[in-house]
Amino acid sequence: MNFLRGVMGGPSAGPQPSGADTIQKLCDRVASSTLLDDRRDAVRALKSLSKKYRLEVGIQAMEHLIHVLQTDRSDSEIIGYALDTLYNVISNDLEEEEQEENSAKQVDDLGSQFAEIFIKQQENVTLLLTLVEEFDFHVRWPGVKLLTSLLKQQGPQVQQIILVSPMGVSRLMDLLADSREVIRNDGVLLLQQLTKSNAAIQKIVAFENAFERLLDIITEEGNSDGGIVVEDCLLLLQNLLKNNNSNQNFFKEGSYIQRMKPWFEVGDDNCGWSAQKVTNLHLMLQLVRVLVSPTNPPGATSSCQKAMFHCGLLQQLCTILMATGVPADILTETINTVSEVIRGCQTNQDYFASVNAPSNPPRPAIVVLLMSMVNERQPFVLRCAVLYCFQCFLYKNQKGQGEIVSTLLPSTIDATGNSVSAGQLLCGGLFSMDSLSNWCAAVALAHALQENATLKEQLLRVQLATSIGNPPVSLLQQCTNILSQGSKVQTRVGLLMLLCTWLSNCSIAVTHFLHNPANVPFLTGQIAENLGEEEQLVQGLCALLLGISIYYNDNSLENYRKEKLKQLIEKRIGRENFIEKLGFISKHELYSRAAQKPQPSFSSPDHMMFDHEFTKLVKELEGVISKAIYKSSEEDKKEEEVKKTLEQHDNIVTHYKKVIREQDQELEELKQRITTLTSQNEQLQATVTQQVSQIQQHKDQYNLLKVQLGKDTQNHNSHSDTFQMNGIQTEEMSKLKEELEEWKSKHELLQGQLKEKDSVIEKLNSSQLDMGMTEQSSQTSKFGGLEHNNELQKELEMLRSQIQLQSVEISKLQMENQKLQVMNTTADPMLRDGGVRAATSSELEGRLEQEIKELKSEVKALSEEKESLKQHLDSSSSTVAILQDEKSKLQREVAESKKEQDDLLVLLADQDQKISALKIKLKDLGVPVEDEDDTESGDQGDEDEDGDEEEQD
């Protein structure tokens, strides 16, 4: 605390000594008094003196106040006084009058020095976090204010202490849920300071449901119509989302982008724009831009752009864009926001192209914005925003580029002149007297040609009528004419950027440019002169344009071939001088500013010189042109050959790409046809079913009418009809009887055949069981035969069961036949009776028809079963034949094996006889001969002797 003593040193005037003595006495009371009331009164008195005597209270009372916070936590009143006193000492937010009175005693960094003393002991910050958890208003609110002041004075150090303390951030997040608005609002301010430039704390706060709570507060406060609380919440949201990809992704995936749409629902009556509403809406637009900033990762930006389109946020922004009565700064920020929402997103760009201004007749929004850009009476910031919007609309949008260039082509220009097109506005701005309009129109037209070789070639067709009676001049020629007239630097810079963009990577445009004999001498003259600093930028751009004319030259013009242009540079300028002039561009201060970000942001119109996309082109071409200047003709030839091969390869690739695209289109068309045909087929099937049901209904109606008509003619035709019916019935009955007899005979034949097969199979079984098992091969074959036999038995059982079922069905048919005969007999007296009613005859007819149909179906089923039985019999007969063949093979093998055994036995007997005869001869000769049993025992004895000798060794 030596620095504080140094601050207090020196003579002092006024009431300071008495004040210092009073503070010392109060500190002694706080330190020594045993009664809580005395300590409380002393702390209250210190609080009242802390604003006027900030330095003295801070020096003498800070330790005592911290001790009070540690020991007297049971009394909320004294804790509140102590926290307020510390806040007054550490905070720099004093009233103006007090600052004037104490200006002689104030030190600039007094608050930060006291804050540094307080946080030297990390336990003090941890203690403060626990006090903030208290629900008592007199403790919680001063604690929040003190912690906010500490973060303002010593932010990074306090952030680190809170980050390492257990549940430190989570405790502070509970402040947003406090029902008391004062604490909740100050909690938002505290979190603002806590989340500044600390990604780790930002992530923790975001995952503690901060987005949900803050958006709820903004909605409760009235969105853009709310007060300063909405502003604080928006600033906190910006802290959490800016340059934090993790939180941005969490915000998008949590569907919080959809909740931003009501912010921009501005009513038709836009007269009442308060300053707070303008501030709130400005921050809301900035928050949208944070999510779609070009500096974010491309994937995250693209997903946010799509979400904004699908939820209607882009549509709402376009409504504000075309509304009347919107303040200029809000309109400018809205244009910038729409620019970044559509930048590089084809869907959003297409929607923006379809937006029309509410005019009569309606004009496209792009045309209305371009009218503002080329109007010199509009604010400079607004014109820059419109240029940025146009650039973002054309960024990676070949469709939009083609639409803009097509408005310049002769075939699409409106001859009546009733409507103004985008191309006409750009040409008007390009050749107007306002240098800023010239620059903006040139840059906008350059973006329409960016990375699009076909449009560069098409733009060569544009012809301009300069004056009455004179022939039209091409747009390229008119640009070079204005350059040679010596206009303002800003105009020439804009035209040179347009020409460089136009000629780069387009040999045809280079040929058109070189075809004018005045262009090359003009460029060499500009580069060779020694001009002032203002003209150095123009010289560098002229060198770049000449270098592009050399690098992309296809040598189609004999007088301006690559080699001749290089010789011209060597003679008139010098290679080193040319490279030095070319380097003027990248060394310029305004170039480095433009290269930082895509949005054109300039402090004044005079600084508006370079475009961001053009700086990329300069980086790409500067080194290439420098190498091309020093290359020899042979190296150029080799390079041209390589280029030709690459072009051929690219042409082949593009050709195949076209073929693939065409095939994809054909596939899509075929798929669409299939879908249409299937839908038509389903519709036709539905109509067919409807027609079938209608036909059935008509048939039923027809039968009913037929029955009703039959009642009228019942008395006349009843006898004849019934007799005819009876005749038909008797014929069918006789046919059925014949078929039944045929089935019975066939059934008997099948049973006889089955019996024969059974007998054959039993014989085979008995013969196979009698055969002996001699070798392994015969056994396996016999087992196979048994398996076949078992299968045959199973099939026979199946056939028997089917025959039984058929016999049951035949008995059923016989029963039904008997029933029909009974019905015939009962029907005869009814037919004889002349007074029988037509209703009974019709019922009888229906019954008979149904029974006849059933009999026919049963006959069909029997015929099908007959066919199946025949197939089974054929298969069984084939299996029997196979078994017989196998049996004969087995018998042959058994006989052969028996013969081989007999031969072996005979051979063995002959050998035994020969051996015995030889033994007898040897005995007769006196040779000792041992029998087989003796030799075996002798061998065993020898083996035993050998084993004993080995053990002794």
Side-chain angles (χ1 to χ4, degrees):
M1 292 173 40
N2 292 328
F3 70 97
L4 294 173
R5 293 193 182 96
V7 170
M8 287 187 66
S12 58
Q16 187 173 356
S18 61
D21 294 340
T22 307
I23 292 166
Q24 184 62 46
K25 291 177 182 178
L26 292 172
C27 291
D28 293 338
R29 284 180 61 188
V30 172
S32 60
S33 181
T34 56
L35 293 175
L36 180 61
D37 292 337
D38 290 344
R39 292 199 303 275
R40 188 189 304 124
D41 293 338
V43 173
R44 187 190 297 118
L46 286 172
K47 176 190 170 185
S48 61
L49 294 171
S50 59
K51 288 185 179 180
K52 190 173 182 180
Y53 301 102
R54 179 184 177 192
L55 182 61
E56 292 81 357
V57 173
I59 294 170
Q60 300 179 35
M62 182 174 284
E63 292 182 2
H64 301 296
L65 293 172
I66 293 171
H67 184 69
V68 167
L69 295 178
Q70 294 171 348
T71 56
D72 293 331
R73 290 185 58 185
S74 58
D75 185 59
S76 61
E77 194 172 354
I78 192 172
I79 295 293
Y81 293 148
L83 290 171
D84 283 332
T85 308
L86 288 170
Y87 172 74
N88 292 337
V89 168
I90 292 171
S91 175
N92 288 328
D93 302 333
L94 295 174
E95 297 180 2
E96 294 180 0
E97 294 179 359
E98 293 173 353
Q99 285 182 354
E100 290 175 0
E101 291 175 2
N102 301 326
S103 59
K105 300 183 294 182
Q106 291 296 325
V107 180
D108 293 337
D109 58 346
L110 194 59
S112 63
Q113 289 173 354
F114 281 126
E116 187 179 355
I117 294 168
F118 185 85
I119 66 171
K120 270 185 181 178
Q121 299 294 327
Q122 293 188 6
E123 295 82 7
N124 296 339
V125 180
T126 309
L127 175 64
L128 193 54
L129 288 173
T130 56
L131 292 173
V132 167
E133 280 188 293
E134 296 289 335
F135 186 74
D136 194 331
F137 181 81
H138 297 289
V139 176
R140 196 171 205 183
W141 188 39
V144 170
K145 291 195 296 180
L146 177 58
L147 192 55
T148 307
S149 183
L150 287 171
L151 284 164
K152 284 181 182 178
Q153 304 296 339
Q154 298 288 332
Q157 293 84 353
V158 179
Q159 284 175 342
Q160 194 61 32
I161 295 169
I162 293 172
L163 193 60
V164 298
S165 65
M167 299 295 290
V169 179
S170 300
R171 296 178 192 176
L172 301 178
M173 283 299 300
D174 294 336
L175 296 171
L176 296 180
D178 201 306
S179 58
R180 295 159 294 193
E181 290 188 3
V182 177
I183 294 177
R184 184 198 68 184
N185 300 342
D186 283 349
V188 173
L189 296 174
L190 170 61
L191 291 170
Q192 273 185 32
Q193 299 298 325
L194 181 65
T195 54
K196 273 185 180 178
S197 305
N198 194 311
I201 293 177
Q202 289 169 3
K203 290 179 183 178
I204 296 170
V205 171
F207 283 98
E208 288 283 346
N209 206 19
F211 294 137
E212 185 78 28
R213 296 181 184 180
L214 292 172
L215 292 171
D216 288 340
I217 293 170
I218 291 171
T219 306
E220 290 170 6
E221 294 291 326
N223 294 328
S224 60
D225 294 322
I228 196 169
V229 179
V230 174
E231 180 183 347
D232 295 335
C233 291
L234 291 169
L235 289 170
L236 177 54
L237 284 171
Q238 279 192 19
N239 284 354
L240 294 175
L241 293 172
K242 197 168 187 178
N243 300 323
N244 194 319
N245 299 327
S246 174
N247 283 1
Q248 288 174 9
N249 191 33
F250 181 66
F251 191 85
K252 178 185 69 69
E253 290 180 353
S255 301
Y256 296 120
I257 291 176
Q258 288 80 340
R259 295 189 61 179
M260 297 169 73
K261 184 190 172 186
W263 296 355
F264 306 103
E265 291 177 354
V266 181
D268 296 331
D269 186 15
N270 295 329
C271 300
W273 286 85
S274 64
Q276 187 62 53
K277 182 175 181 178
V278 171
T279 304
N280 291 344
L281 203 56
H282 201 273
L283 289 170
M284 289 171 178
L285 291 168
Q286 286 181 350
L287 193 63
V288 175
R289 292 185 65 185
V290 166
L291 294 170
V292 292
S293 174
T295 57
N296 293 344
T301 301
S302 177
S303 58
C304 288
Q305 286 172 335
K306 290 175 183 176
M308 288 175 184
F309 174 76
H310 290 303
C311 74
L313 181 59
L314 175 60
Q315 293 84 331
Q316 203 66 44
L317 291 172
C318 290
T319 304
I320 297 174
L321 195 67
M322 295 291 107
T324 56
V326 180
D329 52 348
I330 293 296
L331 183 61
T332 304
E333 192 63 25
T334 305
I335 294 170
N336 288 326
T337 306
V338 171
S339 306
E340 293 182 353
V341 172
I342 67 173
R343 187 176 188 270
C345 182
Q346 189 66 50
T347 307
N348 296 3
Q349 288 167 340
D350 292 341
Y351 170 76
F352 184 70
S354 66
V355 174
N356 288 322
S359 59
N360 192 14
R363 289 175 176 172
I366 298 169
V367 173
V368 176
L369 291 173
L370 287 176
M371 291 171 72
S372 301
M373 185 185 76
V374 297
N375 187 356
E376 56 185 318
R377 289 176 293 180
Q378 293 292 340
F380 172 67
V381 182
L382 180 64
R383 297 173 75 180
C384 291
V386 173
L387 177 61
Y388 184 46
C389 185
F390 191 72
Q391 291 173 351
C392 292
F393 169 67
L394 297 177
Y395 183 70
K396 293 184 179 179
N397 183 10
Q398 292 189 352
K399 180 182 175 184
Q401 288 176 327
E403 290 173 355
I404 297 298
V405 173
S406 66
T407 59
L408 286 165
L409 299 177
S411 59
T412 56
I413 293 174
D414 188 7
T416 59
N418 293 329
S419 61
V420 181
S421 66
Q424 290 172 346
L425 288 170
L426 290 175
C427 282
L430 195 62
F431 307 121
S432 71
M433 300 303 293
D434 180 26
S435 61
L436 186 59
S437 297
N438 301 152
W439 191 91
C440 291
V443 170
L445 197 55
H447 276 262
L449 304 175
Q450 201 80 36
E451 297 179 358
N452 200 325
T454 55
L455 293 181
K456 292 176 183 178
E457 295 176 8
Q458 287 184 9
L459 199 64
L460 295 170
R461 297 165 46 203
V462 176
Q463 300 289 322
L464 301 174
T466 54
S467 59
I468 300 171
N470 293 328
V473 180
S474 68
L475 178 62
L476 185 66
Q477 184 60 42
Q478 185 64 17
C479 291
T480 55
N481 290 341
I482 295 171
L483 272 175
S484 61
Q485 290 172 4
S487 53
K488 292 182 180 179
V489 174
Q490 192 175 37
T491 302
R492 283 183 287 164
V493 169
L495 290 171
L496 285 168
M497 286 196 297
L498 172 60
L499 290 173
C500 290
T501 306
W502 194 347
L503 269 60
S504 64
N505 202 15
C506 185
S507 300
I508 298 171
V510 171
T511 304
H512 277 256
F513 178 76
L514 295 175
H515 195 269
N516 186 357
N519 289 338
V520 174
F522 168 73
L523 292 177
T524 53
Q526 287 285 320
I527 300 166
E529 289 181 5
N530 291 320
L531 303 173
E533 292 183 1
E534 293 182 356
E535 296 293 331
Q536 285 183 354
L537 192 56
V538 177
Q539 284 184 321
L541 290 170
C542 288
L544 179 65
L545 183 58
L546 187 58
I548 289 170
S549 302
I550 294 171
Y551 184 70
Y552 292 105
N553 192 347
D554 58 357
N555 295 326
S556 58
L557 294 175
E558 186 63 30
N559 294 330
Y560 295 104
R561 296 174 65 85
K562 285 185 178 181
E563 195 61 33
K564 290 187 177 181
L565 289 173
K566 289 179 187 177
Q567 292 173 3
L568 186 67
I569 290 172
E570 182 67 29
K571 289 178 182 178
R572 295 192 180 180
I573 304 168
R575 291 181 181 177
E576 290 78 9
N577 191 20
F578 179 85
I579 299 300
E580 183 184 356
K581 297 290 176 71
L582 184 63
F584 285 164
I585 303 172
S586 56
K587 292 176 182 177
H588 204 279
E589 181 186 359
L590 297 175
Y591 173 89
S592 57
R593 286 185 190 175
Q596 290 175 0
K597 58 181 181 179
Q599 183 182 359
S601 57
F602 305 100
S603 57
S604 66
D606 296 334
H607 293 164
M608 207 170 189
M609 288 293 175
F610 284 108
D611 173 54
H612 178 75
E613 292 297 325
F614 181 73
T615 59
K616 293 181 181 178
L617 183 67
V618 172
K619 286 180 184 177
E620 181 184 347
L621 294 177
E622 188 176 4
V624 174
I625 291 170
S626 300
K627 291 179 182 177
I629 295 298
Y630 287 100
K631 279 182 182 177
S632 62
S633 58
E634 294 179 356
E635 290 176 348
D636 286 336
K637 287 179 182 178
K638 289 180 181 179
E639 190 175 349
E640 285 177 3
E641 290 176 359
V642 171
K643 281 184 179 179
K644 286 180 181 178
T645 54
L646 289 173
E647 285 177 0
Q648 290 176 358
H649 178 71
D650 291 338
N651 291 330
I652 293 167
V653 171
T654 51
H655 173 69
Y656 281 117
K657 283 182 179 179
K658 286 181 181 178
V659 171
I660 291 166
R661 285 174 188 168
E662 290 174 359
Q663 289 178 352
D664 290 338
Q665 289 177 357
E666 289 177 358
L667 282 172
E668 290 294 328
E669 290 175 358
L670 290 171
K671 286 179 181 178
Q672 290 177 358
R673 283 185 183 178
I674 289 166
T675 53
T676 52
L677 288 172
T678 51
S679 62
Q680 289 177 1
N681 187 16
E682 291 174 356
Q683 291 176 359
L684 290 171
Q685 286 180 353
T687 53
V688 165
T689 52
Q690 289 178 358
Q691 289 177 357
V692 167
S693 62
Q694 289 177 359
I695 290 165
Q696 190 62 37
Q697 290 176 0
H698 289 311
K699 282 183 178 180
D700 296 337
Q701 291 176 0
Y702 173 73
N703 291 328
L704 288 171
L705 290 170
K706 191 175 179 182
V707 170
Q708 289 177 359
L709 289 170
K711 288 182 181 178
D712 297 335
T713 58
Q714 180 182 1
N715 295 326
H716 299 286
N717 300 325
S718 61
H719 294 288
S720 61
D721 290 339
T722 50
F723 280 124
Q724 287 175 1
M725 183 185 69
N726 195 10
I728 292 164
Q729 183 183 0
T730 52
E731 289 176 0
E732 289 181 354
M733 290 294 293
S734 62
K735 287 180 182 178
L736 287 171
K737 285 179 181 178
E738 290 175 358
E739 287 180 357
L740 284 171
E741 289 176 356
E742 288 178 0
W743 280 110
K744 284 179 182 177
S745 62
K746 289 177 182 178
H747 180 65
E748 289 174 357
L749 288 170
L750 288 170
Q751 283 182 345
Q753 289 176 0
L754 284 171
K755 287 178 181 178
E756 290 177 359
K757 299 289 183 186
D758 287 339
S759 62
V760 170
I761 288 164
E762 286 175 358
K763 288 178 181 178
L764 286 170
N765 288 330
S766 62
S767 62
Q768 285 176 357
L769 290 170
D770 293 336
M771 290 170 63
M773 296 172 65
T774 58
E775 291 177 354
Q776 189 68 24
S777 62
S778 64
Q779 287 179 359
T780 55
S781 61
K782 187 181 282 185
F783 285 132
L786 289 171
E787 288 176 359
H788 285 294
N789 206 357
N790 291 329
E791 289 177 359
L792 280 172
Q793 285 180 356
K794 289 179 182 177
E795 288 179 356
L796 283 171
E797 288 176 359
M798 291 286 290
L799 291 170
R800 284 173 184 169
S801 62
Q802 288 178 358
I803 289 166
Q804 287 177 1
L805 290 170
Q806 284 183 356
S807 62
V808 172
E809 289 177 355
I810 289 165
S811 61
K812 286 182 181 179
L813 288 170
Q814 288 175 353
M815 293 291 292
E816 288 175 355
N817 191 9
Q818 290 175 1
K819 287 180 182 178
L820 287 170
Q821 287 177 357
V822 171
M823 288 171 70
N824 256 338
T825 54
T826 54
D828 288 336
M830 290 174 70
L831 292 169
R832 292 191 189 96
D833 190 4
V836 178
R837 294 180 180 178
T840 55
S841 65
S842 63
E843 290 176 0
L844 183 62
E845 184 179 357
R847 271 189 197 172
L848 288 172
E849 286 177 355
Q850 288 178 357
E851 289 175 354
I852 288 164
K853 287 179 182 177
E854 290 175 356
L855 288 169
K856 285 181 179 179
S857 63
E858 289 175 356
V859 167
K860 284 181 182 178
L862 287 170
S863 63
E864 291 174 356
E865 289 178 357
K866 174 187 171 185
E867 291 294 329
S868 64
L869 283 170
K870 282 183 179 179
Q871 291 176 359
H872 283 301
L873 284 171
D874 293 336
S875 63
S876 61
S877 61
S878 63
T879 51
V880 167
I882 291 165
L883 285 172
Q884 286 178 352
D885 292 337
E886 289 179 353
K887 177 186 173 184
S888 60
K889 287 179 182 178
L890 289 171
Q891 286 176 352
R892 288 172 191 168
E893 289 175 356
V894 169
E896 288 175 357
S897 63
K898 284 181 179 179
K899 287 179 182 178
E900 289 175 355
Q901 286 179 358
D902 293 336
D903 294 336
L904 288 169
L905 291 170
V906 169
L907 289 170
L908 289 170
D910 292 338
Q911 286 178 355
D912 290 335
Q913 289 176 1
K914 288 178 182 178
I915 289 165
S916 61
L918 289 169
K919 284 181 179 181
I920 292 166
K921 286 180 181 180
L922 289 169
K923 286 179 181 180
D924 293 338
L925 292 170
V927 177
V929 180
E930 295 179 356
D931 293 334
E932 290 179 357
D933 295 333
D934 296 335
T935 56
E936 288 175 359
S937 61
D939 293 336
Q940 288 178 358
D942 293 337
E943 289 174 0
D944 293 336
E945 290 175 358
D946 294 336
D948 295 334
E949 289 175 357
E950 288 174 359
E951 287 176 359
Q952 289 174 3
D953 293 337

